[in-house]
Amino acid sequence: MNQDNTAPTEVRQEKPSHVLVIDNLSVGFGRGKSVEQVTNKVSLSIQKGETLALVGESGSGKSVTANSVLKLLPKGSSHYLNGTITFDGIDILSCSARQLRGIRGGRIGMIFQEPMVSLNPLHKIGKQLVETLAIHRGMRATKAEALAVSWLKKVGIRSPERKISAYPHELSGGERQRVMIAMALINEPELLIADEPTTALDVSVQAQILDLLKELQQELGMAMLFITHDLSIVRRIADRVAVMKDGELVEVGPCRQVFTTPSHPYTQKLIDSDPRGLPVEIEPDAKTLLSVNDLKVWFPIKGGLFKKVVDHVKAVTQMQFQLKRGHSIGLVGESGSGKSTTGMAILKLVQSEGIIEFDGQDIQRLDRKGMLPYRSRMQVVFQDPFSALNPRMSVAQVIGEGLRVHFEHDEAQLDRLICDVMKEVDLDPDTRHRYPNEFSGGQRQRIAIARALILKPEFILLDEPTSSLDRTVQAQVLDLLKSLQTKHGLTYLFISHDLNVVKSLCHYTIVMRNGEIVEQGDTQMMFSAPQHDYTKTLVSLSSF
């Protein structure tokens, strides 16, 4: 018989340490009585050392939820309708401004999607990094600058000792994004909020940044709220996934579970939106439309008292390829590899040497007047449609601008052509009198495509046209580009860092590195049996 009358010891499980708890948060925008609710009773929690991925399409409420954590929503027009946000026991929505300043940038770091907007254009990179160390850690300038250089090196900035003295506009888009990442992590925060931090980066640098973030998590026990529309990144980095739609959470669960057995139809729709399919059928014996031989773009570096040329930035060297009518060539490589410079040189928007033949004509020797007839035959669609579209012009004015320059039409003819091309890219012609800011990102990209298409070009340069779009919208734009290519026999030069998109659209692929071609060939063959080590790395990362 047991003589011990004491009660058995209760085994208590330690509750998980939540760094951040968002409970029933609803946010609205507006002034006075006209407040429109944009998120509805969002509840999330993140444990120490955990990565929670917040995914969903544009307008789903992802960034609004993330910006609410640090009260970064615009004052006056934003309203926290109900709910709480608690960081390490601190009620964010009711804490003092002084307490919030201590948390922002110090205990909670944030990486924004658009670095050019977030970085001060008037200050050098070094000053901006040193400033955050001085504010949050009281570090002296010399020590802070040394730490800033080491962090620039950590995030993959080449020649960090030189780049620390550069202004934001002197860096590439990928370099600016890396600077933002360094700025967010330099104070070793307890929580990192990353809002689309790798959108502008190629797959190799993207992998480096994701590996760096995971390494720092292990080192610092840092929690991370990771906002993205790229599901391949979610698979790679997230412990749990939260899916948002129309301001509400529709699914939350472990990463593997959400991807293998999604419970909500919208989650399944996102998963099914990864780039798929093959390029359009082509005529193998089609005639050559564009021929490039020994293309060279070197930018002079001037120095000394008399500003003599002391060196060159060798952006593109010995570029050569042939592009047949109705075919698509993909131009891939990391930031600074010379992809966009090649495209701009072909359109004669930057000075270059070498031979550029379009439809048998060497356009390299043509002056501005001589190029004018070719401008309507060669069009371009840029990466960021919002900066490429004039915000002061209506959509009808934007789309019809090229027609006014190259052709003579009366207003009735012009309006009919604008309506026709809008229908062709699945835009409602009744919206033609609205302005670009009234459209979503995907719709703005369709406007940019319509602007190029209305001139009935034979060749279109597509410079990262889908990189900033949600996966579902990206799939729609790719399908649109394929259908237009089939219908009009269009010829594409497609610049991208997303090899899965290239595989879906392009018949032939050129891989660039440091301004030179490292490999080129049939796209499907290159994906199945890459020859160069660099290509092998890109292909392995894209198939993650």
Side-chain angles (χ1 to χ4, degrees):
M1 184 176 178
N2 186 4
Q3 301 294 320
D4 189 356
N5 294 325
T6 58
T9 304
E10 183 181 350
V11 180
R12 293 186 179 180
Q13 292 185 345
E14 187 177 341
K15 290 184 179 180
S17 175
H18 289 116
V19 177
L20 178 71
V21 177
I22 301 174
D23 186 32
N24 283 321
L25 180 68
S26 297
V27 177
F29 289 98
R31 296 183 182 276
K33 295 181 179 180
S34 58
V35 175
E36 181 183 356
Q37 186 171 327
V38 294
T39 65
N40 183 37
K41 296 182 179 180
V42 175
S43 294
L44 294 171
S45 62
I46 308 174
Q47 298 179 31
K48 184 178 181 181
E50 181 188 37
T51 298
L52 175 68
L54 190 58
V55 302
E57 294 177 288
S58 297
S60 62
K62 306 186 306 294
S63 294
V64 169
T65 301
N67 286 323
S68 297
V69 173
L70 287 174
K71 294 185 72 174
L72 293 176
L73 298 176
K75 292 182 178 179
S77 62
S78 60
H79 304 272
Y80 300 95
L81 304 176
N82 61 266
T84 59
I85 302 173
T86 308
F87 169 72
D88 193 25
I90 302 169
D91 185 349
I92 294 292
L93 298 183
S94 62
C95 71
S96 66
R98 181 179 179 183
Q99 198 172 15
L100 195 57
R101 281 196 300 269
I103 294 172
R104 286 176 180 164
R107 299 185 66 189
I108 301 180
M110 188 155 187
I111 305 168
F112 297 95
Q113 182 174 356
E114 181 44 68
M116 200 58 187
V117 175
S118 307
L119 295 172
N120 191 324
L122 302 178
H123 294 308
K124 294 179 179 179
I125 296 302
K127 181 177 180 181
Q128 297 185 58
L129 287 167
V130 167
E131 185 179 42
T132 187
L133 288 168
I135 291 171
H136 294 286
R137 295 168 69 173
M139 198 174 286
R140 293 180 180 274
T142 306
K143 188 177 179 182
E145 188 166 319
L147 184 59
V149 170
S150 71
W151 268 95
L152 289 179
K153 188 176 182 180
K154 264 189 178 183
V155 298
I157 295 284
R158 298 171 187 169
S159 306
E161 296 84 0
R162 182 166 56 87
K163 293 290 176 67
I164 200 169
S165 300
Y167 289 94
H169 72 271
E170 297 178 296
L171 304 179
S172 70
E175 286 175 327
R176 288 194 292 266
Q177 191 66 288
R178 280 173 263 183
V179 169
M180 276 297 303
I181 292 168
M183 192 174 294
L185 296 177
I186 200 167
N187 284 308
E188 301 180 358
E190 298 157 55
L191 171 66
L192 176 68
I193 301 173
D195 190 356
E196 301 276 10
T198 57
T199 296
L201 305 180
D202 50 80
V203 289
S204 57
V205 178
Q206 186 180 88
Q208 294 169 18
I209 294 299
L210 294 176
D211 288 343
L212 173 64
L213 292 175
K214 290 170 72 174
E215 181 185 326
L216 287 167
Q217 270 193 299
Q218 294 176 356
E219 181 182 330
L220 307 174
M222 180 178 69
M224 181 157 52
L225 178 60
F226 200 99
I227 301 163
T228 183
H229 65 260
D230 191 336
L231 298 183
S232 62
I233 293 178
V234 175
R235 289 186 182 98
R236 185 185 183 100
I237 199 170
D239 299 304
R240 288 189 302 126
V241 182
V243 183
M244 289 193 75
K245 184 179 188 294
D246 299 330
E248 295 185 351
L249 284 174
V250 297
E251 185 166 354
V252 181
C255 187
R256 183 182 294 274
Q257 177 186 310
V258 169
F259 277 98
T260 55
T261 55
S263 62
H264 197 279
Y266 178 69
T267 308
Q268 186 65 59
K269 179 185 174 184
L270 292 179
I271 294 170
D272 292 340
S273 296
D274 281 344
R276 293 179 181 176
L278 296 173
V280 301
E281 292 186 10
I282 53 173
E283 295 182 16
D285 56 349
K287 292 183 179 180
T288 298
L289 178 64
L290 177 67
S291 179
V292 176
N293 288 290
D294 293 324
L295 184 67
K296 171 181 166 183
V297 184
W298 287 14
F299 297 108
I301 300 174
K302 297 181 179 181
L305 182 63
F306 297 102
K307 299 295 181 183
K308 292 183 178 180
V309 176
V310 296
D311 202 352
H312 289 85
V313 176
K314 299 176 182 179
V316 177
T317 302
Q318 293 184 324
M319 167 61 72
Q320 56 185 35
F321 64 88
Q322 289 189 334
L323 179 54
K324 294 182 177 182
R325 287 183 178 273
H327 292 216
S328 299
I329 287 182
L331 206 53
V332 302
E334 59 192 14
S335 297
S337 63
K339 306 187 302 295
S340 294
T341 303
T342 298
M344 294 301 102
I346 289 169
L347 294 176
K348 293 201 67 180
L349 298 177
V350 296
Q351 288 188 339
S352 64
E353 298 177 17
I355 299 172
I356 305 171
E357 288 188 356
F358 183 81
D359 197 17
Q361 169 68 49
D362 184 1
I363 63 174
Q364 183 72 287
R365 303 184 182 187
L366 297 179
D367 57 15
R368 184 177 178 277
K369 186 177 180 180
M371 270 299 296
L372 194 59
Y374 291 92
R375 291 296 181 199
S376 62
R377 300 173 67 187
M378 306 172 72
Q379 286 293 296
V380 61
V381 177
F382 293 102
Q383 176 177 358
D384 182 5
F386 194 71
S387 60
L389 304 178
N390 190 329
R392 296 183 178 181
M393 294 171 67
S394 69
V395 166
Q397 291 172 322
V398 167
I399 294 174
E401 185 179 19
L403 281 180
R404 291 184 173 91
V405 171
H406 292 282
F407 304 100
E408 292 184 6
H409 293 291
D410 59 38
E411 288 302 313
Q413 287 177 313
L414 193 63
D415 190 61
R416 188 184 71 254
L417 290 170
I418 291 168
C419 290
D420 288 345
V421 79
M422 288 185 73
K423 290 176 185 175
E424 201 164 11
V425 298
D426 295 326
L427 287 172
D428 184 357
D430 291 340
T431 63
R432 65 189 183 278
H433 300 301
R434 297 181 186 174
Y435 289 83
N437 67 302
E438 298 178 70
F439 294 83
S440 68
Q443 289 173 322
R444 287 197 292 264
Q445 198 59 284
R446 289 173 187 270
I447 293 168
I449 293 171
R451 178 175 62 179
L453 194 65
I454 199 169
L455 292 170
K456 301 188 183 303
E458 298 156 63
F459 167 81
I460 299 181
L461 171 66
L462 299 159
D463 192 353
E464 300 273 13
T466 62
S467 64
S468 61
L469 304 178
D470 300 317
R471 280 299 193 198
T472 52
V473 180
Q474 183 184 82
Q476 294 166 13
V477 172
L478 283 175
D479 288 342
L480 172 65
L481 291 172
K482 288 181 183 181
S483 68
L484 293 173
Q485 186 173 30
T486 301
K487 182 178 180 180
H488 299 289
L490 295 172
T491 305
Y492 294 145
L493 180 61
F494 189 87
I495 297 171
S496 181
H497 64 257
D498 190 333
L499 268 67
N500 290 316
V501 173
V502 171
K503 186 178 180 181
S504 174
L505 184 73
C506 300
H507 308 96
Y508 193 87
T509 298
I510 298 172
V511 182
M512 292 188 70
R513 193 179 193 189
N514 298 328
E516 297 182 347
I517 296 174
V518 298
E519 186 172 352
Q520 58 181 314
D522 177 82
T523 299
Q524 306 307 317
M525 288 292 293
M526 190 175 293
F527 269 78
S528 59
Q531 300 299 308
H532 196 278
D533 288 342
Y534 179 64
T535 310
K536 290 177 182 176
T537 301
L538 293 180
V539 171
S540 65
L541 291 171
S542 67
S543 61
F544 189 90

